Amino acid sequence: MTERIYNFSAGPAALPLPVLEQAQQDLISLGDTGIGVLEHSHRSKAFLAVYEQAEGLCREIASVPDNYKVLFLQGGASTQFFMIPMNLLSKDQTADYLVTGSWSKKAVKEAKLFGNVNIACNSEDKNFSYIPSEVALSEQPAYVHFTSNNTIYGTEFASEPEVPAGVPLVCDASSDIFSRPIDISKYGIVYAGAQKNLGPSGMAVVIIRDDLIEQGPTDIPTMMQYRTHSEAGSMFNTPPTFGIYVLGRVLQWLKDQGGLAAMGQKNQAKAGKLYDYLDQSQLFKPTAAKQDRSLMNVTFVTGDADLDAKFIAQATAAGLDGLKGHRSVGGMRASIYNAFPEAGIDKLLSMMNEFEQEHAS
Ligand SMILES: *Cc1c(COP(=O)(O)O)cnc(C)c1O
């Protein structure tokens, strides 16, 4: 087998090796069933056990309260961009959106198809390099939507934005879900595309409060109603079985690592090493405002596009893949989700150090 390298990809992203090894076996035969996980009916006893384990671990790890459902839906996070307003926003209502990056903007575009949108804050004036401290909410928003971690720009909310009592807080947590402890009771909906911190692409994990499920209209397509999936335990149609399987294995791995509190500490330590280096570097500069730095996506530049390209090429040659920044920021981005090993960060740091010495002016 080819040796595995360090994968700094923003998503799909690195998964824990023990999970991949287990999946390799379960592809041929799930447990002792003699049938691979991809080949099992979603109604089979063996798969139902997989489903129940994934759902149960999700509830356990994040202490999901009883009045919330955990749904496994298809279409990634982007489908939630329209499914949420389709269910929660009517023509005469306003939803508030905190715009902190291009994923937030995409969510806004979809919401406008269903009702009014109030942009409660926007950090585009500085290319989304910070999280605005001032948020101007509308009078009675149907909900308040924010993006907890801005994958492209390397910024992250340190804590949830404040919302008035009774207003549901809705969060796109695609790139930092389960990277640290989360108090689900503060939210109406938390959703995430699975491919950054949880598993394969194509699936979204949606944690939604019961009253919001009930509130949605019944005259929209059946598949677009949260109640459909809630009532059917995410099995109204054939669910993304492999995604659910991998999610379950990843959550078991997360639990074995000590759960969300331990994971949060590890992520602090991992990102902290990189930021400490960047803060004293004469060559590499972090792009995100210090107080808003992401623990998941660390963005930095040299200030010289040719030098950035040279660094990325050398890093790639040394087995550090996926470090090229998103085109809207340029430079480098190290995506270091839960499963990314600290040894990969040490290797990146030693490369940066060498490169800096070589190019010291
Ligand atoms: C990756 C990402 C998305 C898009 O997820 P899809 O599953 O591809 O639709 C949405 N929001 C954020 C914050 C992301 O990082």
Side-chain angles (χ1 to χ4, degrees):
M1 195 179 92
T2 311
E3 198 189 333
R4 281 172 64 82
I5 61 172
Y6 291 115
N7 175 16
F8 289 90
S9 168
L15 287 168
L17 186 57
V19 169
L20 299 175
E21 286 168 343
Q22 177 76 50
Q24 204 175 21
Q25 290 178 23
D26 288 341
L27 273 181
I28 307 299
S29 172
L30 179 61
D32 60 6
T33 62
I35 298 174
V37 61
L38 291 173
E39 307 161 300
H40 266 285
S41 162
H42 56 300
R43 313 265 178 216
S44 71
K45 208 173 140 201
F47 184 75
L48 287 180
V50 166
Y51 169 85
E52 275 158 23
Q53 196 211 21
E55 200 226 349
L57 279 167
C58 199
R59 302 194 83 96
E60 179 186 340
I61 283 170
S63 306
V64 176
D66 288 344
N67 60 327
Y68 287 75
K69 295 286 184 296
V70 176
L71 307 178
F72 305 129
L73 305 182
Q74 302 181 49
S78 299
T79 294
Q80 295 309 306
F81 290 170
F82 66 84
M83 196 163 162
I84 288 162
M86 202 176 213
N87 280 273
L88 299 185
L89 185 62
S90 55
K91 275 272 170 257
D92 55 348
Q93 287 181 311
T94 299
D96 287 2
Y97 278 72
L98 280 62
V99 177
T100 54
S102 46
W103 292 117
S104 319
K105 277 173 76 176
K106 286 182 175 159
V108 166
K109 179 169 179 251
E110 301 305 301
K112 282 182 173 166
L113 297 170
F114 300 94
N116 305 308
V117 169
N118 170 49
I119 306 296
C121 68
N122 190 341
S123 54
E124 194 163 13
D125 59 334
K126 290 185 185 159
N127 198 29
F128 297 121
S129 58
Y130 69 104
I131 303 286
S133 49
E134 299 288 310
V135 175
L137 297 182
S138 64
E139 197 81 348
Q140 276 214 311
Y143 59 86
V144 174
H145 180 284
F146 78 111
T147 314
S148 51
N149 184 71
N150 298 283
T151 325
I152 294 172
Y153 306 92
T155 63
E156 187 171 15
F157 279 78
S159 59
E160 298 85 2
E162 299 281 336
V163 290
V167 174
L169 182 63
V170 177
C171 179
D172 173 2
S174 291
S175 51
D176 69 348
I177 191 165
F178 296 172
S179 66
R180 57 184 178 180
I182 181 169
D183 180 356
I184 297 291
S185 71
K186 289 186 175 167
Y187 298 83
I189 302 177
V190 181
Y191 68 97
Q195 68 273 26
K196 282 129 192 175
N197 247 338
L198 300 177
S201 60
M203 181 173 78
V205 174
V206 179
I207 304 174
I208 178 170
R209 213 173 56 211
D210 287 339
D211 60 298
L212 300 175
I213 296 173
E214 294 316 320
Q215 184 186 316
T218 51
D219 59 354
I220 55 175
T222 312
M223 277 289 284
M224 292 295 107
Q225 299 179 31
Y226 287 113
R227 72 170 62 72
T228 302
H229 303 288
S230 167
E231 284 164 7
S234 298
M235 298 234 190
F236 169 72
N237 72 329
T238 317
T241 54
F242 189 62
I244 293 168
Y245 162 82
V246 178
L247 171 73
R249 303 320 310 161
V250 169
L251 294 179
Q252 182 62 53
W253 172 84
L254 225 171
K255 186 180 165 184
D256 295 343
Q257 301 295 301
L260 297 191
M263 194 48 71
Q265 283 170 4
K266 277 182 200 169
N267 287 327
Q268 280 279 358
K270 275 157 54 183
K273 275 189 176 178
L274 272 171
Y275 287 122
D276 284 350
Y277 174 76
L278 288 169
D279 279 338
Q280 57 75 53
S281 171
Q282 300 298 309
L283 181 67
F284 297 104
K285 299 290 164 217
T287 66
K290 193 164 187 171
Q291 70 280 6
D292 303 320
R293 287 170 174 174
S294 167
L295 299 187
M296 300 282 97
N297 311 96
V298 178
T299 51
F300 54 99
V301 295
T302 62
D304 173 343
D306 291 337
L307 212 52
D308 288 348
K310 193 171 170 192
F311 175 74
I312 292 161
Q314 282 190 18
T316 309
L320 303 176
D321 197 74
L323 281 166
K324 192 174 187 326
H326 190 276
R327 62 190 176 281
S328 50
V329 179
M332 281 67 70
R333 168 175 55 176
S335 296
I336 49 171
Y337 303 116
N338 286 352
F340 191 90
E342 188 161 354
I345 291 172
D346 294 339
K347 187 163 177 194
L348 171 62
L349 280 171
S350 83
M351 260 220 67
M352 288 169 79
N353 223 330
E354 264 174 45
F355 192 85
E356 177 162 357
Q357 278 166 17
E358 250 172 66
H359 294 88
S361 42

